[in-house]
Amino acid sequence: RVPLFVEAMNAAFEGIADVAPVSADDQLAQGLVRAYHPDVAIVEGCDTGLVDESVPCVLVDLEEKCVSLRRAATWTECDVELSPEAIRNVAVAVVYGGEPA
């Protein structure tokens, strides 16, 4: 929904991971996300139904200014700032089995 958010995430993950933005408005988005076989998904302000529950999901709500993490079908609010680097760190932590800082 927010192009600047996508640009910020691309910059934060540069040299660390491949980022593939997918629009939730795309009717084929769920199939496209599945085709990528993501280790983690970062979703900004929309329904997380696009991402299978087996995939860890970082939900960023820019309006409410909060970040939540879904792991094993359980949501936990993360006490992190709303910066691209903090969001990246949550995603990297979940991939490597750590706890979000």
Side-chain angles (χ1 to χ4, degrees):
R1 292 184 334 164
V2 182
L4 289 176
F5 178 79
V6 172
E7 287 181 36
M9 290 289 82
N10 275 323
F13 278 96
E14 188 173 337
I16 296 173
D18 293 328
V19 176
V22 176
S23 173
D25 296 331
D26 184 341
Q27 291 182 344
L28 302 174
Q30 188 174 29
L32 184 56
V33 170
R34 283 184 178 153
Y36 282 121
H37 301 288
D39 293 318
V40 64
I42 299 173
V43 178
E44 185 276 315
C46 68
D47 180 17
T48 58
L50 292 173
V51 182
D52 293 337
E53 282 195 6
S54 62
V55 176
C57 184
V58 179
L59 175 63
V60 179
D61 190 329
L62 297 174
E63 291 178 14
E64 296 293 322
K65 298 182 180 173
C66 67
V67 177
S68 300
L69 172 63
R70 181 187 71 199
R71 252 191 302 206
T74 301
W75 284 100
T76 306
E77 191 165 327
C78 299
D79 187 22
V80 297
E81 61 184 50
L82 210 57
S83 72
E85 294 77 18
I87 295 165
R88 175 204 59 209
N89 292 347
V90 170
V92 170
V94 74
V95 168
Y96 289 103
E99 289 300 316

